[in-house]
Amino acid sequence: MTVAIGSAALGVSAAAQPAAEPQPAMPMEQITVTGSRILRSDVTSPAPISVISEETLKQRGTTSIADALQIIPQAMGSQTTSQTNNGGRGTASVNLRGLGSQRSLVLVNGRRMVATDNLGTSLDVDLNNIPQAIIERVEVLRDGASAIYGSDAIGGVINIITKRDFEGFAVNAEAGMSAQGDGEQYSGDMTFGGKFGKDDRGRAWVNVGYFKQRPVFSRDRDFSSAPKDADLLDNGKVDVHTTGSSFTPTGTAFRLDTGDAVVMAPNGIDFSPLTDANRFNYANFQYNMTPQKRISAASQAEYDLTDFMTAYVEGLYVKRNSSQSLAPPPLVVPNTTGFFVPSDNPFNPFGEDVLLFRRLADVGSARLYSQEVNTYRIVGGLKGKVSKDWSYDVSYTTGRNELNAQVAGLGRLDHINQGFLDPVGCLTSPGCVQTNLFGNNLTQQQVDFIRYTEFSKQTVQQDIGEANLTGTLFETAAGKIGLATGVAWRRESYNDMVDTITESGASSDGERLSSKGSYDVKEIYGELNVPIVSSRPFVDYLGVNIAGRYSDFSTIGGVFSWKVGAEYAPVSSLRFRGVYSKAFRAPDALELFAGRKINFPTFSDPCDNPSNSTVIANCLVQGVRNPATFAQRDTQVNSVEEGNANLKEERASTWTVGVVFAPSFVPNLSITVDYYNIDVKDAIDVLDVQVILDQCLSSPVMAANPLCGLIEPRDQSGQLTRIVTQTSNIGRLRNRGIDFAVNYAHPIGNAGTMSYMVAGTYLLKFDKQPFPGLPFETFAGYTGGLNIDANPKLRLSWLVAYSDEHWAATYTGRLIGKSQSFTTRDNPNAGSVRYPINAFTYHDLQGGYKFNNGLELVVGVRNAFDKRPPFYFDYDDTNTDPSTYDTVGRYFYTAIHAKF
């Protein structure tokens, strides 16, 4: 028989509800539950697990598993989606509990998936690489599981289970469009499969699919059509106003003698004062939803070689073309925020030294980042039984992700240095073209001289061999003593090849160096499940589960992780559960070996009108002439990041305790409540530039603070130039909260079935220590500050569904609780305030009809009430958090599903 981990109608359900009752003549099928390697006939688990069924994936009306996982309230913060334009390269990731997607392990059928390089600071699995049509269910373990799976399983595990047996032919097609007529999506796939071979010993299926998504521009939504900022007025009110960048297409000159800033006219001679009205609106060039195209092919086959041995193979290929768009590049040299143009430069119309803030709109209408990504994954193995009670599984997995990227619309700094800063020397330099960047009167020859397209290729290779053995040691009166053990070997390789111009630092998009590296790990593990008492008065079940794993890395050496779990059910309808574990995350290949690169993080300069006497004194020491009148010119600063081969592992202590109530007097009702506590030490991170600035400038003695040595000298006007950072074991994270869920289903006579689900999480604590010895910063209830995450204390998801033989209707909703901005706005006459962010609720509707011939028609709408996202201080690309809030708006879709 089939054992239900969760009701398909309910979608998100507690894995610890009782198993379906078996038919007398049929044996119980043995399965493994995510978080354990032991085959068992029940679906209980001491760890909290959520299950998203295939039916619920369809009800969500999404074409990406990452978008569908938004129904899990624990998915939050800094995850990349199709809404990620600046900082994303077409990938889709999920971040459990806000700890970072790198701390959420992604598995496919219990095995690791090859990651991709998102040009961040760590490698992530791109969930777009797993076609939704081949998914049977998704199990989300909300607990640390390094003892079972090894590195990375700190925030949780996402185990994507693909279809095993498929017979027939199925076709799916979907099309959607926003209410404003943009963001069109088209997708289609077909699957065919069946049995083959002698006595139908073989089973196989093949799936092919296509997906295309068109963009939504930021300029086409009023909330993101222009960057916004806020000031605290003397009367205590917050003034939200439109702003922009001081880097303008004609150039903004900061006159070092007079101290004023002016925007050049197109002729390069006339000018006007810099105001919010003539700042550059970079939102005109950006996406709220990025374009993407994917083609995929997947297959799976099994063949019973004997009654005790089955050979199997899995194959996957995905080709993705994606792009992102940013405004034309600001002209930024490696050690300052603008070009210093001396008074004697022939092009300088002022007769005094100036800093020129110029945007290279001449070389292209925008910076267009484009990628072609090819992902391959093959699994082959043997599984079967060595006896009645013992099963084995031996497999080899190889995966490869090849990313070819280019950035068009850039400028060459070396040619600009020649043609603009040294126009006299340019006359005698072969091939040099004099280029006047005051104004925007460049000829085609000048444009060709400074224009540049960047090329790079990143490759991630993963190879895994593993062998697992599971069975029953012996049976007691309380039940079977289950054991699982196994060994594994894994190699991860990374190679980043960058063109020579970018490596030389001549790209206007910043320097980046080629790099490569690899590591391997050998592992052995064991897991024991021990029922102690069962079927006794007041003790329907009492048992423990223990596991341990030793991992020997070629980089960090040996690491031992372990866990202890327990379950106690006084009666069959009430079950208490708990797990304590020691988990870890080893540094990945990108964190270890990434070459030096330039980044441009946002920041707030403490020397901008400070009130603290220590800060004022330190600003003077750093070269700010008058902190009382000093004004920060731009919201970004030049920073240097690179990998670190001396990293060690992150270590985490995690524990959960919970209760599952499934009363027999209310069939199909389950209620779960779990408390979780996660403490991550030696967290791998890039030191935040804001932390460096705040801690240095508030130091009583700057010379005694090592963070001050990371700030390079300011320029002649006191503006910051560059801050040096490196990936290091510097952080600590503390995350605590309560998860809860209610699932219920009941028939309506003979008229169909109603299903209900409510799931939520309440964040009690989320603290981060950004550097050893510094105080913890609190992020629970705040938005922004920690990788621009939204961390409201309360998140809820709910689902109400009706279905009968033909009709189906679903209403789903999400609540993102209220919060406030992490950063403040200050005024010496009004104090300090944080911007309030109200609770947001999204409503989705879907209806469908299933014909007798296997054809099903579906229509739906996401964000039915066209809720616009909130504004907050910390992210001025879309003025909101695109990883949390919907930046597209009301979205209609229709789908056709057919199976023959």
Side-chain angles (χ1 to χ4, degrees), residues 574-735:
L574 182 64
R575 184 177 296 262
F576 299 92
R577 61 190 182 187
V579 178
Y580 181 83
S581 68
K582 290 290 189 179
F584 76 99
R585 187 178 79 87
D588 66 32
L590 184 59
E591 293 168 325
L592 290 165
F593 309 118
R596 186 172 71 245
K597 67 175 183 178
I598 300 296
N599 202 358
F600 302 95
T602 58
F603 78 106
S604 178
D605 194 337
C607 293
D608 189 335
N609 194 22
S611 57
N612 182 279
S613 59
T614 300
V615 175
I616 292 173
N618 287 335
C619 291
L620 290 168
V621 172
Q622 283 197 346
V624 178
R625 298 174 186 174
N626 187 353
T629 60
F630 174 79
Q632 176 183 338
R633 288 181 185 148
D634 206 70
T635 59
Q636 293 176 294
V637 66
N638 191 319
S639 73
V640 181
E641 300 176 6
E642 62 183 328
N644 183 356
N646 296 316
L647 290 172
K648 59 182 180 180
E649 73 277 5
E650 300 178 347
R651 292 185 177 270
S653 299
T654 72
W655 56 282
T656 62
V657 291
V659 59
V660 180
F661 181 50
S664 57
F665 54 85
V666 184
N668 299 316
L669 171 66
S670 70
I671 303 171
T672 66
V673 180
D674 292 280
Y675 169 81
Y676 67 89
N677 188 314
I678 304 171
D679 189 349
V680 183
K681 297 180 180 179
D682 295 322
I684 299 171
D685 202 356
V686 174
L687 189 58
D688 187 81
V689 296
Q690 194 65 58
V691 171
I692 296 173
L693 291 169
D694 291 344
Q695 295 299 320
C696 170
L697 290 166
S698 62
S699 300
V701 182
M702 285 199 300
N705 189 333
L707 296 180
C708 295
L710 303 177
I711 304 173
E712 295 193 354
R714 293 174 180 256
D715 65 20
Q716 294 92 329
S717 63
Q719 299 292 328
L720 287 164
T721 59
R722 174 186 278 192
I723 298 176
V724 179
T725 64
Q726 187 183 48
T727 305
S728 304
N729 294 96
I730 55 175
R732 184 175 177 184
L733 300 168
R734 299 188 302 202
N735 191 305

Side-chain angles (χ1 to χ4, degrees), residues 256-523:
L256 300 182
D257 290 346
T258 61
D260 61 336
V262 296
V263 177
M264 303 303 301
N267 62 17
I269 300 174
D270 300 323
F271 54 85
S272 58
L274 174 67
T275 66
D276 278 344
N278 59 13
R279 285 177 177 265
F280 179 73
N281 181 7
Y282 47 81
N284 280 330
F285 302 86
Q286 299 179 161
Y287 295 138
N288 278 14
M289 184 165 75
T290 60
Q292 185 170 133
K293 183 173 69 175
R294 299 191 301 268
I295 59 171
S296 63
S299 64
Q300 193 167 307
E302 294 183 348
Y303 191 83
D304 300 328
L305 300 174
T306 70
D307 292 340
F308 302 99
M309 179 180 292
T310 298
Y312 62 88
V313 63
E314 300 173 16
L316 175 67
Y317 169 72
V318 180
K319 179 181 179 179
R320 166 167 60 86
N321 293 96
S322 52
S323 63
Q324 304 79 44
S325 178
L326 294 177
L331 196 55
V332 180
V333 293
N335 61 349
T336 187
T337 54
F339 265 66
F340 175 74
V341 186
S343 59
D344 60 356
N345 186 295
F347 298 132
N348 187 339
F350 296 98
E352 63 179 285
D353 296 345
V354 300
L355 281 175
L356 182 64
F357 282 44
R358 175 69 147 75
R359 195 172 286 272
L360 294 178
D362 323 74
V363 300
S365 59
R367 275 174 291 171
L368 187 62
Y369 296 76
S370 58
Q371 305 86 34
E372 180 182 293
V373 187
N374 292 278
T375 302
Y376 313 83
R377 184 176 187 262
I378 298 175
V379 180
L382 298 171
K383 62 182 180 180
K385 287 183 171 292
V386 293
S387 68
K388 176 183 177 182
D389 295 324
W390 289 89
S391 301
Y392 66 90
D393 191 332
V394 180
S395 66
Y396 189 87
T397 302
T398 183
R400 186 175 180 87
N401 182 275
E402 297 178 350
L403 189 155
N404 292 279
Q406 72 174 44
V407 187
L410 300 180
R412 285 193 60 165
L413 298 182
D414 55 345
H415 284 185
I416 292 172
N417 284 331
Q418 286 182 298
F420 175 53
L421 296 184
D422 186 20
V424 176
C426 179
L427 293 174
T428 60
S429 177
C432 184
V433 179
Q434 288 186 333
T435 307
N436 181 7
L437 294 181
F438 286 95
N440 61 352
N441 292 302
L442 299 188
T443 66
Q444 187 61 49
Q445 183 185 23
Q446 292 169 328
V447 169
D448 292 342
F449 180 62
I450 65 173
R451 181 161 45 198
Y452 164 62
T453 297
E454 175 184 303
F455 296 92
S456 64
K457 179 177 181 179
Q458 292 81 45
T459 303
V460 179
Q461 176 76 34
Q462 181 185 75
D463 293 280
I464 306 171
E466 56 186 323
N468 300 290
L469 180 67
T470 179
T472 301
L473 289 176
F474 53 87
E475 188 169 0
T476 68
K480 295 180 178 180
I481 308 295
L483 173 70
T485 185
V487 295
W489 168 87
R490 175 165 56 98
R491 171 166 289 169
E492 303 277 356
S493 304
Y494 169 77
N495 191 355
D496 181 14
M497 294 183 293
V498 184
D499 65 65
T500 56
I501 295 175
T502 300
E503 283 198 310
S504 71
S507 168
S508 63
D509 212 36
E511 173 192 11
R512 191 165 108 244
L513 301 184
S514 297
S515 60
K516 64 179 180 179
S518 65
Y519 68 87
D520 59 66
V521 55
K522 305 177 185 69
E523 300 179 283

Side-chain angles (χ1 to χ4, degrees), residues 802-809 847-850:
Y802 166 80
S803 62
D804 63 15
E805 184 179 358
H806 295 289
W807 291 99
Y849 184 81
K850 185 180 294 184

